[in-house]
Amino acid sequence: MAVPGDPPNGTPENIGGGDDEFRPDEYRSIVFDEDFVRAARIQEYSAQERMGEHARAVRSRSIWSGAGSGGSRTASPGRGARQGMLLVLLIATAFAVAVYMGLRNPYVPVPGGGAEPLASTVVPLAPAAVVPGGKPAELYAKSPAAQYRVGAAGITMPAVRRTRHFTDGQVGAALSIAKDYLVQSSLDPDVLSGAATRPVRVLLDPDQLAQFDRSMTSPSGDGRYAATGWLVRFDPATTVLADSRVRVSGTLGYEEVAPDVLQLTTDHTFVYAVRPASATGVAADGASLFTVRRELRLRFDREDLTARRAELASAYVMAGPQDCSADPAAGFRPLTAGTGPTTVGPAASDPYASGHPRRAAGLCGVLATPPPETEPVSPAP
Protein backbone atom coordinates (compact mmCIF):
# COMPACT_ATOMS: atom_id res chain seq x y z
CA MET A 1 0.00 0.00 0.00
CA ALA A 2 1.44 3.31 -1.06
CA VAL A 3 2.04 6.04 1.49
CA PRO A 4 1.25 9.61 0.51
CA GLY A 5 4.42 11.35 -0.63
CA ASP A 6 6.12 8.14 -1.83
CA PRO A 7 7.34 7.97 -5.40
CA PRO A 8 4.58 6.86 -7.81
CA ASN A 9 6.44 3.71 -8.71
CA GLY A 10 7.32 2.94 -5.13
CA THR A 11 10.61 3.07 -3.30
CA PRO A 12 13.60 2.34 -5.51
CA GLU A 13 15.49 -0.82 -4.84
CA ASN A 14 18.48 -0.81 -2.46
CA ILE A 15 17.23 2.44 -0.92
CA GLY A 16 16.35 2.25 2.74
CA GLY A 17 13.39 4.06 4.15
CA GLY A 18 12.87 6.14 7.25
CA ASP A 19 15.30 8.79 8.43
CA ASP A 20 18.22 7.22 6.56
CA GLU A 21 16.67 7.76 3.18
CA PHE A 22 18.75 9.73 0.67
CA ARG A 23 16.90 12.82 -0.49
CA PRO A 24 18.87 14.53 -3.33
CA ASP A 25 16.52 17.51 -3.39
CA GLU A 26 17.69 18.64 0.04
CA TYR A 27 21.32 19.20 -1.14
CA ARG A 28 20.73 20.81 -4.50
CA SER A 29 21.39 24.31 -3.04
CA ILE A 30 24.87 23.30 -1.80
CA VAL A 31 27.60 23.93 -4.37
CA PHE A 32 31.31 23.07 -3.76
CA ASP A 33 33.49 25.29 -5.90
CA GLU A 34 36.98 24.32 -7.07
CA ASP A 35 38.85 26.53 -4.50
CA PHE A 36 36.99 24.96 -1.62
CA VAL A 37 37.79 21.46 -2.86
CA ARG A 38 41.50 22.21 -3.21
CA ALA A 39 41.63 23.77 0.25
CA ALA A 40 40.00 20.79 1.89
CA ARG A 41 43.21 18.87 2.44
CA ILE A 42 43.14 15.60 4.27
CA GLN A 43 45.86 15.38 6.86
CA GLU A 44 46.87 12.23 8.61
CA TYR A 45 48.10 12.92 12.17
CA SER A 46 51.00 10.95 13.58
CA ALA A 47 50.64 8.48 16.38
CA GLN A 48 52.20 10.91 18.87
CA GLU A 49 49.72 13.59 17.86
CA ARG A 50 46.80 11.20 18.23
CA MET A 51 47.83 9.85 21.64
CA GLY A 52 47.06 11.72 24.85
CA GLU A 53 43.84 13.30 25.84
CA HIS A 54 45.31 16.81 25.62
CA ALA A 55 46.49 16.46 22.04
CA ARG A 56 45.14 19.30 19.95
CA ALA A 57 42.82 18.24 17.16
CA VAL A 58 43.46 21.32 15.02
CA ARG A 59 46.81 23.10 14.40
CA SER A 60 46.85 26.86 14.93
CA ARG A 61 47.67 29.11 12.04
CA SER A 62 51.05 30.94 12.32
CA ILE A 63 51.07 34.69 12.10
CA TRP A 64 53.92 34.28 9.58
CA SER A 65 51.98 31.88 7.33
CA GLY A 66 51.08 33.23 3.94
CA ALA A 67 47.50 33.04 2.67
CA GLY A 68 46.55 33.59 -0.91
CA SER A 69 43.47 33.13 -2.94
CA GLY A 70 44.27 29.50 -3.40
CA GLY A 71 44.90 28.38 0.16
CA SER A 72 46.95 28.89 3.33
CA ARG A 73 50.06 27.64 5.13
CA THR A 74 49.95 26.31 8.65
CA ALA A 75 52.69 26.32 11.33
CA SER A 76 53.33 24.62 14.62
CA PRO A 77 51.77 26.08 17.79
CA GLY A 78 53.56 29.24 19.11
CA ARG A 79 55.99 29.47 16.21
CA GLY A 80 54.95 33.03 15.30
CA ALA A 81 55.34 34.26 18.87
CA ARG A 82 58.79 32.69 19.16
CA GLN A 83 59.93 34.27 15.89
CA GLY A 84 58.67 37.65 17.07
CA MET A 85 60.57 37.39 20.35
CA LEU A 86 63.71 36.32 18.49
CA LEU A 87 63.50 39.40 16.25
CA VAL A 88 63.11 41.68 19.27
CA LEU A 89 66.13 40.09 20.97
CA LEU A 90 68.27 40.50 17.84
CA ILE A 91 67.39 44.20 17.58
CA ALA A 92 68.10 44.78 21.27
CA THR A 93 71.44 42.95 21.03
CA ALA A 94 72.52 44.95 17.97
CA PHE A 95 71.63 48.21 19.72
CA ALA A 96 73.57 47.24 22.87
CA VAL A 97 76.65 46.29 20.81
CA ALA A 98 76.51 49.58 18.92
CA VAL A 99 76.35 51.58 22.15
CA TYR A 100 79.23 49.60 23.71
CA MET A 101 81.48 49.99 20.66
CA GLY A 102 80.73 53.70 20.52
CA LEU A 103 81.79 54.17 24.13
CA ARG A 104 84.77 51.85 24.17
CA ASN A 105 86.21 52.23 20.66
CA PRO A 106 90.02 51.82 21.12
CA TYR A 107 90.72 54.38 18.39
CA VAL A 108 88.64 57.08 20.11
CA PRO A 109 89.82 57.23 23.73
CA VAL A 110 87.59 58.44 26.50
CA PRO A 111 88.31 62.17 26.95
CA GLY A 112 90.40 62.96 29.99
CA GLY A 113 90.61 66.03 32.18
CA GLY A 114 92.27 69.32 31.30
CA ALA A 115 95.97 70.09 31.49
CA GLU A 116 97.45 70.46 34.98
CA PRO A 117 99.14 73.74 36.00
CA LEU A 118 102.90 74.00 35.58
CA ALA A 119 104.96 73.35 38.71
CA SER A 120 108.34 75.10 38.38
CA THR A 121 111.46 75.55 40.47
CA VAL A 122 114.11 78.12 39.53
CA VAL A 123 117.36 78.04 41.51
CA PRO A 124 120.09 80.70 41.12
CA LEU A 125 123.70 79.49 41.29
CA ALA A 126 126.21 81.81 42.89
CA PRO A 127 129.82 81.80 41.62
CA ALA A 128 132.48 80.10 43.72
CA ALA A 129 135.19 82.43 42.35
CA VAL A 130 135.57 85.61 40.36
CA VAL A 131 133.58 85.48 37.11
CA PRO A 132 136.03 85.21 34.19
CA GLY A 133 135.68 87.58 31.26
CA GLY A 134 136.92 87.78 27.70
CA LYS A 135 135.81 87.28 24.13
CA PRO A 136 132.98 84.78 23.65
CA ALA A 137 135.02 82.39 21.47
CA GLU A 138 137.85 82.28 24.02
CA LEU A 139 135.46 81.77 26.91
CA TYR A 140 133.75 78.88 25.14
CA ALA A 141 137.06 77.24 24.28
CA LYS A 142 138.12 77.23 27.94
CA SER A 143 134.81 75.90 29.27
CA PRO A 144 133.09 72.49 29.24
CA ALA A 145 130.83 73.95 26.53
CA ALA A 146 133.74 73.78 24.06
CA GLN A 147 132.42 70.40 22.88
CA TYR A 148 128.78 71.48 22.70
CA ARG A 149 126.95 71.99 19.43
CA VAL A 150 125.61 75.36 18.39
CA GLY A 151 121.92 76.15 18.64
CA ALA A 152 119.23 73.63 17.64
CA ALA A 153 121.89 71.18 16.47
CA GLY A 154 122.62 70.48 20.13
CA ILE A 155 119.07 69.18 20.68
CA THR A 156 119.47 65.67 19.33
CA MET A 157 116.59 63.22 18.90
CA PRO A 158 116.55 59.66 20.26
CA ALA A 159 115.58 56.61 18.22
CA VAL A 160 111.84 56.56 17.56
CA ARG A 161 109.96 53.42 18.60
CA ARG A 162 106.26 52.95 19.07
CA THR A 163 104.77 52.42 22.51
CA ARG A 164 101.81 50.24 23.45
CA HIS A 165 99.17 52.80 22.49
CA PHE A 166 101.14 55.34 20.39
CA THR A 167 102.50 54.70 16.91
CA ASP A 168 106.04 55.55 15.88
CA GLY A 169 104.60 58.47 13.89
CA GLN A 170 102.92 59.86 17.00
CA VAL A 171 106.11 59.43 19.06
CA GLY A 172 108.07 61.23 16.35
CA ALA A 173 105.53 64.07 16.35
CA ALA A 174 105.86 64.46 20.14
CA LEU A 175 109.66 64.62 19.89
CA SER A 176 109.41 67.21 17.13
CA ILE A 177 107.06 69.41 19.20
CA ALA A 178 109.34 69.11 22.24
CA LYS A 179 112.34 70.20 20.19
CA ASP A 180 110.39 73.16 18.81
CA TYR A 181 109.50 74.16 22.36
CA LEU A 182 113.13 74.00 23.48
CA VAL A 183 114.30 76.02 20.47
CA GLN A 184 111.67 78.73 20.88
CA SER A 185 111.92 78.98 24.67
CA SER A 186 115.73 78.77 24.97
CA LEU A 187 117.28 80.00 21.72
CA ASP A 188 114.98 82.57 20.08
CA PRO A 189 116.74 85.97 20.40
CA ASP A 190 113.46 87.87 20.87
CA VAL A 191 112.36 85.53 23.65
CA LEU A 192 115.77 85.74 25.35
CA SER A 193 115.63 89.54 25.35
CA GLY A 194 112.06 89.65 26.66
CA ALA A 195 110.72 91.23 23.46
CA ALA A 196 108.41 88.31 22.55
CA THR A 197 106.47 85.49 24.16
CA ARG A 198 104.21 84.34 21.32
CA PRO A 199 106.69 81.80 19.86
CA VAL A 200 106.40 79.89 23.14
CA ARG A 201 102.74 80.56 23.84
CA VAL A 202 101.47 79.01 20.59
CA LEU A 203 103.08 75.70 21.53
CA LEU A 204 101.21 75.35 24.85
CA ASP A 205 97.99 73.54 25.71
CA PRO A 206 95.08 76.06 25.84
CA ASP A 207 94.35 75.07 29.44
CA GLN A 208 97.74 76.52 30.48
CA LEU A 209 97.55 79.82 28.62
CA ALA A 210 96.02 81.78 31.51
CA GLN A 211 98.83 80.64 33.83
CA PHE A 212 101.43 81.44 31.17
CA ASP A 213 100.04 84.93 30.55
CA ARG A 214 100.02 85.75 34.26
CA SER A 215 103.61 84.46 34.56
CA MET A 216 104.68 86.88 31.82
CA THR A 217 102.82 89.93 33.15
CA SER A 218 103.08 89.33 36.91
CA PRO A 219 105.93 86.87 37.53
CA SER A 220 106.37 85.40 40.98
CA GLY A 221 108.75 82.90 42.53
CA ASP A 222 105.95 80.87 44.11
CA GLY A 223 106.47 77.78 41.95
CA ARG A 224 103.54 78.55 39.64
CA TYR A 225 104.07 81.96 38.03
CA ALA A 226 107.82 82.24 37.32
CA ALA A 227 108.44 83.45 33.78
CA THR A 228 111.78 81.65 33.79
CA GLY A 229 109.99 78.37 34.47
CA TRP A 230 108.43 78.58 31.01
CA LEU A 231 111.36 80.09 29.08
CA VAL A 232 114.83 81.58 29.30
CA ARG A 233 114.73 85.34 29.65
CA PHE A 234 117.38 87.92 30.60
CA ASP A 235 116.54 91.17 32.29
CA PRO A 236 116.90 93.58 29.32
CA ALA A 237 117.78 96.43 31.66
CA THR A 238 120.97 94.72 32.78
CA THR A 239 122.00 92.04 30.26
CA VAL A 240 122.26 91.46 26.50
CA LEU A 241 123.68 88.63 24.42
CA ALA A 242 127.32 89.01 23.36
CA ASP A 243 127.08 86.09 20.91
CA SER A 244 123.95 84.64 19.27
CA ARG A 245 125.56 81.23 18.86
CA VAL A 246 124.35 79.52 22.04
CA ARG A 247 126.04 76.25 22.99
CA VAL A 248 123.68 73.35 23.76
CA SER A 249 123.95 69.76 24.96
CA GLY A 250 121.44 67.34 26.48
CA THR A 251 119.07 64.44 26.07
CA LEU A 252 115.45 63.70 25.20
CA GLY A 253 113.50 60.69 26.46
CA TYR A 254 109.91 59.50 26.25
CA GLU A 255 107.55 57.01 27.85
CA GLU A 256 103.86 56.17 27.84
CA VAL A 257 102.39 57.01 31.25
CA ALA A 258 98.74 56.26 30.35
CA PRO A 259 96.91 54.78 27.35
CA ASP A 260 96.22 58.32 26.11
CA VAL A 261 99.23 60.23 27.51
CA LEU A 262 102.79 60.29 26.19
CA GLN A 263 105.40 61.98 28.41
CA LEU A 264 108.71 63.45 27.25
CA THR A 265 111.60 64.38 29.55
CA THR A 266 114.16 66.91 28.40
CA ASP A 267 117.47 67.59 30.16
CA HIS A 268 119.63 70.24 28.48
CA THR A 269 122.39 72.67 29.37
CA PHE A 270 122.44 76.00 27.53
CA VAL A 271 125.53 78.24 27.69
CA TYR A 272 125.15 81.90 26.71
CA ALA A 273 127.79 84.57 26.17
CA VAL A 274 126.43 87.76 27.76
CA ARG A 275 127.59 91.25 28.59
CA PRO A 276 126.16 94.21 30.51
CA ALA A 277 123.44 96.17 28.75
CA SER A 278 125.46 99.34 29.28
CA ALA A 279 129.01 99.13 27.96
CA THR A 280 130.17 102.10 30.00
CA GLY A 281 133.45 101.20 31.64
CA VAL A 282 133.41 97.71 30.18
CA ALA A 283 136.01 96.62 27.63
CA ALA A 284 134.96 95.21 24.28
CA ASP A 285 136.07 91.79 25.39
CA GLY A 286 134.23 91.97 28.70
CA ALA A 287 131.78 89.14 27.98
CA SER A 288 131.09 86.29 30.39
CA LEU A 289 129.35 82.94 30.21
CA PHE A 290 125.98 82.23 31.74
CA THR A 291 124.79 78.64 32.13
CA VAL A 292 121.18 77.41 32.36
CA ARG A 293 120.29 73.81 33.11
CA ARG A 294 116.65 72.98 32.23
CA GLU A 295 114.86 69.76 33.10
CA LEU A 296 111.35 69.72 31.64
CA ARG A 297 108.49 67.22 31.57
CA LEU A 298 106.09 67.64 28.68
CA ARG A 299 102.90 65.62 28.20
CA PHE A 300 100.91 64.94 25.04
CA ASP A 301 97.54 63.41 24.30
CA ARG A 302 96.35 62.66 20.77
CA GLU A 303 94.64 66.03 20.46
CA ASP A 304 97.90 67.79 21.40
CA LEU A 305 99.80 65.83 18.76
CA THR A 306 97.27 66.79 16.08
CA ALA A 307 97.34 70.46 17.08
CA ARG A 308 101.16 70.47 17.58
CA ARG A 309 101.11 71.70 21.16
CA ALA A 310 102.33 70.46 24.54
CA GLU A 311 101.42 70.50 28.20
CA LEU A 312 104.41 71.64 30.26
CA ALA A 313 103.95 69.61 33.46
CA SER A 314 107.10 70.59 35.40
CA ALA A 315 110.31 72.57 35.09
CA TYR A 316 113.44 72.47 37.24
CA VAL A 317 115.90 75.21 36.32
CA MET A 318 119.38 76.05 37.66
CA ALA A 319 121.09 79.16 36.33
CA GLY A 320 124.26 81.07 37.14
CA PRO A 321 126.37 82.89 37.96
CA GLN A 322 123.79 84.98 39.82
CA ASP A 323 123.52 86.63 43.16
CA CYS A 324 121.50 84.51 45.58
CA SER A 325 119.63 87.60 46.69
CA ALA A 326 118.33 88.19 43.17
CA ASP A 327 114.84 86.98 42.25
CA PRO A 328 115.13 85.08 38.95
CA ALA A 329 111.35 84.68 38.44
CA ALA A 330 110.99 87.62 36.03
CA GLY A 331 114.34 87.25 34.26
CA PHE A 332 117.95 86.25 34.82
CA ARG A 333 120.53 88.85 35.95
CA PRO A 334 123.96 87.35 35.35
CA LEU A 335 126.95 88.56 37.36
CA THR A 336 129.30 90.28 34.96
CA ALA A 337 132.98 89.57 34.34
CA GLY A 338 135.23 90.38 37.28
CA THR A 339 132.45 90.06 39.87
CA GLY A 340 133.30 87.94 42.88
CA PRO A 341 130.96 85.78 44.94
CA THR A 342 128.70 87.79 47.20
CA THR A 343 126.84 84.98 48.91
CA VAL A 344 127.49 81.29 49.28
CA GLY A 345 124.81 78.70 48.63
CA PRO A 346 124.31 75.56 50.70
CA ALA A 347 125.68 73.10 48.13
CA ALA A 348 127.62 73.02 44.87
CA SER A 349 125.64 72.16 41.74
CA ASP A 350 127.28 71.37 38.43
CA PRO A 351 124.99 72.31 35.52
CA TYR A 352 127.44 70.66 33.09
CA ALA A 353 127.27 67.21 34.71
CA SER A 354 125.65 64.48 32.65
CA GLY A 355 122.70 62.57 34.07
CA HIS A 356 120.72 63.94 36.99
CA PRO A 357 122.61 66.88 38.50
CA ARG A 358 122.85 67.44 42.22
CA ARG A 359 119.98 69.76 43.01
CA ALA A 360 120.36 72.67 45.36
CA ALA A 361 118.95 71.93 48.78
CA GLY A 362 117.63 75.47 49.28
CA LEU A 363 116.75 78.50 47.21
CA CYS A 364 120.33 79.04 46.02
CA GLY A 365 123.29 76.88 45.06
CA VAL A 366 126.98 77.23 44.19
CA LEU A 367 128.02 77.14 40.56
CA ALA A 368 130.64 74.40 40.35
CA THR A 369 132.46 74.55 37.02
CA PRO A 370 134.70 71.56 36.23
CA PRO A 371 137.74 71.93 33.99
CA PRO A 372 137.13 71.48 30.26
CA GLU A 373 137.51 68.04 28.70
CA THR A 374 140.82 67.41 26.94
CA GLU A 375 139.43 65.01 24.28
CA PRO A 376 136.67 66.32 22.04
CA VAL A 377 133.51 64.24 21.96
CA SER A 378 131.26 66.01 19.48
CA PRO A 379 132.90 69.24 18.27
CA ALA A 380 130.62 72.12 17.48
CA PRO A 381 130.11 72.63 13.77
Side-chain angles (χ1 to χ4, degrees):
M1 176 176 172
V3 180
D6 287 346
N9 297 327
T11 302
E13 296 182 2
N14 301 325
I15 299 298
D19 295 336
D20 294 332
E21 289 181 343
F22 175 73
R23 297 181 176 85
D25 294 338
E26 298 179 7
Y27 299 96
R28 287 178 181 174
S29 62
I30 301 176
V31 179
F32 299 95
D33 59 14
E34 184 180 353
D35 290 341
F36 181 86
V37 173
R38 284 201 305 265
R41 295 166 51 192
I42 300 176
Q43 181 171 351
E44 181 68 22
Y45 293 99
S46 66
Q48 184 174 1
E49 291 175 325
R50 291 195 300 270
M51 65 185 297
E53 60 180 1
H54 299 293
R56 299 185 62 172
V58 181
R59 296 189 179 186
S60 61
R61 185 186 300 270
S62 170
I63 62 175
W64 302 103
S65 61
S69 61
S72 62
R73 296 178 58 188
T74 60
S76 60
R79 179 181 176 187
R82 289 195 298 270
Q83 289 180 337
M85 289 298 296
L86 179 60
L87 181 60
V88 172
L89 287 175
L90 288 175
I91 294 175
T93 302
F95 180 77
V97 171
V99 172
Y100 176 81
M101 293 301 293
L103 293 176
R104 303 299 298 171
N105 189 334
Y107 297 100
V108 183
V110 179
E116 295 294 329
L118 167 66
S120 62
T121 301
V122 182
V123 179
L125 299 179
V130 175
V131 177
K135 296 181 179 179
E138 296 175 351
L139 294 173
Y140 280 131
K142 296 177 181 179
S143 75
Q147 312 304 327
Y148 289 4
R149 295 179 182 272
V150 176
I155 305 173
T156 56
M157 308 286 269
V160 176
R161 295 184 179 87
R162 64 168 298 144
T163 64
R164 184 175 181 182
H165 297 94
F166 289 86
T167 66
D168 51 357
Q170 291 172 322
V171 172
L175 289 169
S176 175
I177 298 169
K179 181 173 182 176
D180 286 347
Y181 187 86
L182 288 171
V183 170
Q184 299 301 329
S185 64
S186 308
L187 301 175
D188 187 302
D190 290 334
V191 172
L192 296 177
S193 65
T197 59
R198 179 174 171 76
V200 179
R201 190 179 190 274
V202 296
L203 294 173
L204 291 172
D205 189 289
D207 292 336
Q208 293 187 312
L209 294 182
Q211 183 187 11
F212 175 83
D213 292 341
R214 178 174 170 181
S215 301
M216 299 301 110
T217 58
S218 302
S220 172
D222 59 359
R224 293 175 60 89
Y225 298 104
T228 48
W230 300 92
L231 46 80
V232 177
R233 170 192 283 180
F234 295 102
D235 180 1
T238 62
T239 307
V240 295
L241 287 177
D243 187 354
S244 61
R245 295 173 298 175
V246 182
R247 302 305 197 266
V248 185
S249 180
T251 59
L252 268 169
Y254 60 89
E255 63 176 332
E256 181 181 311
V257 296
D260 58 345
V261 178
L262 189 67
Q263 179 174 285
L264 269 68
T265 303
T266 75
D267 184 2
H268 290 81
T269 298
F270 301 87
V271 184
Y272 306 87
V274 297
R275 63 176 179 82
S278 174
T280 303
V282 179
D285 59 353
S288 61
L289 297 184
F290 188 81
T291 304
V292 179
R293 178 74 175 262
R294 302 183 77 197
E295 295 180 70
L296 310 179
R297 281 192 304 117
L298 300 101
R299 292 179 176 175
F300 303 85
D301 57 25
R302 288 173 176 80
E303 186 178 355
D304 291 330
L305 296 176
T306 301
R308 288 197 63 81
R309 66 195 187 201
E311 171 193 345
L312 184 57
S314 68
Y316 186 86
V317 181
M318 297 186 300
Q322 293 186 92
D323 193 331
C324 283
S325 61
D327 183 5
F332 298 127
R333 296 180 179 181
L335 292 176
T336 58
T339 305
T342 56
T343 56
V344 177
S349 299
D350 181 8
Y352 294 95
S354 59
H356 294 288
R358 180 178 180 181
R359 298 190 175 189
L363 298 179
C364 187
V366 177
L367 177 61
T369 305
E373 299 180 11
T374 57
E375 296 183 2
V377 177
S378 54

